[in-house]
Amino acid sequence: MDTKIIKGKPVADRITENLIEETKKLKELDIVPKLAIVRIGENPDDMSYERGAMNRCAKIGIDVQNIVLQGDVSEGEYIEVIKNLNDDKNINGILCLRPLPKNINENKVKSIIDAKKDVDCFNPINSAKLFEGEKDGYAPCTPEAVMKILNHYEVDLSGKKVVVLGRSLIVGKPVSIMLMGENATVTICHSKTENLAEEAKNADVLVAAIGRAKMVDKSYIKKGATVIDVGINVDESGNLCGDVDTESAIGIAKMITPVPAGVGSVTTSVLAEHVIKACKIQNNIN
Ligand code: NDP
């Protein structure tokens, strides 16, 4: 079987083009959407995502304010920063880069961010909206990027068996809910799942989000399956790779996303989409 490598760029480009039109219309009303990105310390992963988000926003016409805090910032100071952004009428969306350092209690902080500006689903109010199927909240950007890719490449989900590897709050759980929303029959697997490869091999669509470099090889993949690789890892040679051993999947999967240039490249366009949605809601624009 020929395996099609399904890249994120065409998906991101299409979203970006639509958003450029949206910001043009907002500009006619003298409105420029604005995102605040709050980063603690100099974590290279955070800085790389921040750069990607800034480039995407610049292309679309979204202003960005970067707030960089010292690695030893206290919980109280961090909360103060978030509260100030909540109150700042010029800021439409707030992105808190995570995970936070251990001295800051994430469970305490996540309810502080104004749910209406919470463009990456940090506040449990937005998780609840996702779980209840309400459309006026903000889903986490990465799972939504997975759904955009599946939609763009016209992957049929209705009634299909989808296996999600990983049950984190940021990827596995939300993507499972979204897939169920598209009428897929979803199985969620995790580190305690028995016979993982066997479970995965039932999938018409396999979503891997476990953070284990190239662990998912051809023994996990049904012939003709679509494979979405969310993982971002570094292999033994120091190169970026996914959770899936792409070489091994070639000839078995029907379609597979690459790493890099797959899911990760769509995430920032979803983030931008959320900022514009927030801006429109805050300005009472339909
Ligand atoms: P977490 O570490 O929070 O969660 C990993 C999940 O995978 C857990 O549910 C864990 O199970 C499960 N898991 C770990 N090892 C195994 C194993 N050997 N077998 C089966 N299940 C396992 O990671 P995230 O969800 O935050 O991220 C997952 C991956 O996605 C990472 O590589 C991350 O870098 C990447 N990522 C990519 C993004 C993008 O934009 N493309 C954005 C966010 C993340 P258990 O619950 O039992 O511990």
Side-chain angles (χ1 to χ4, degrees):
M1 163 169 297
D2 279 345
T3 301
K4 185 175 171 191
I5 305 289
I6 49 173
K7 292 195 171 185
K9 189 172 182 302
V11 187
D13 285 349
R14 189 182 288 176
I15 299 168
T16 301
E17 279 162 28
N18 289 338
L19 295 180
I20 289 171
E21 291 309 309
E22 294 265 4
T23 50
K24 275 187 195 155
K25 283 188 212 146
L26 288 170
K27 202 158 192 184
E28 285 165 16
L29 302 169
D30 274 336
I31 297 170
V32 179
K34 189 165 182 179
L35 168 70
I37 304 179
V38 187
R39 165 160 63 83
I40 302 180
E42 311 280 311
N43 176 339
D45 290 347
D46 286 350
M47 291 166 80
S48 151
Y49 187 59
E50 184 184 71
R51 265 195 310 277
M54 287 169 68
N55 288 339
R56 179 74 58 192
C57 286
K59 211 177 270 179
I60 291 168
I62 296 172
D63 282 351
V64 177
Q65 180 180 339
N66 295 92
I67 295 123
V68 181
L69 304 167
Q70 296 290 328
D72 60 356
V73 65
S74 72
E75 186 176 282
E77 286 166 322
Y78 188 73
I79 288 175
E80 212 39 51
V81 168
I82 305 296
K83 281 184 173 169
N84 286 338
L85 292 170
N86 285 345
D87 294 340
D88 186 339
K89 297 240 170 333
N90 293 314
I91 300 289
N92 306 112
I94 305 169
L95 173 68
C96 296
L97 294 174
R98 290 169 276 160
L100 302 175
K102 291 201 169 46
N103 67 307
I104 300 181
N105 181 349
E106 203 160 302
N107 279 333
K108 185 169 165 192
V109 166
K110 65 188 181 186
S111 304
I112 305 286
I113 184 170
D114 182 346
K116 294 189 285 304
K117 295 187 176 185
D118 176 28
V119 284
D120 195 24
C121 198
F122 193 16
N123 191 318
I125 292 175
N126 280 316
S127 304
K129 283 180 187 282
L130 172 66
F131 279 65
E132 286 175 19
E134 287 180 28
K135 301 281 178 223
D136 63 337
Y138 299 93
C141 297
T142 300
E144 201 172 319
V146 170
M147 300 308 291
K148 298 264 190 205
I149 290 175
L150 290 168
N151 179 273
H152 183 95
Y153 290 103
E154 297 178 342
V155 178
D156 186 15
L157 292 169
S158 185
K160 302 296 176 202
K161 287 197 170 78
V162 181
V163 174
V164 176
L165 306 180
R167 58 174 166 180
S168 73
L169 253 186
I170 191 82
V171 190
K173 275 183 195 155
V175 82
S176 303
I177 296 293
M178 290 174 180
L179 289 159
M180 212 176 351
E182 295 300 322
N183 299 317
T185 303
V186 183
T187 302
I188 308 174
C189 299
H190 46 79
S191 67
K192 305 291 185 290
T193 300
E194 291 179 0
N195 306 321
L196 190 68
E198 216 171 280
E199 289 291 345
K201 218 168 176 168
N202 289 323
D204 300 308
V205 177
L206 179 63
V207 179
I210 52 177
R212 297 281 177 265
K214 296 185 186 173
M215 194 184 97
V216 178
D217 63 14
K218 62 183 177 190
S219 68
Y220 289 66
I221 302 167
K222 177 162 112 178
K223 206 167 180 67
T226 296
V227 181
I228 306 293
D229 190 356
V230 183
I232 301 179
N233 314 292
V234 177
D235 68 12
E236 60 283 354
S237 323
N239 296 319
L240 219 54
C241 72
D243 291 339
V244 181
D245 180 352
T246 312
E247 288 301 311
S248 164
I250 300 283
I252 301 202
K254 181 179 171 203
M255 296 194 262
I256 183 166
T257 57
V259 178
V263 176
S265 41
V266 182
T267 307
T268 55
S269 51
V270 174
L271 173 70
E273 193 170 77
H274 288 181
V275 177
I276 290 174
K277 175 178 163 182
C279 175
K280 287 168 78 175
I281 292 174
Q282 287 157 33
N283 286 284
N284 298 314
I285 298 166
N286 291 320

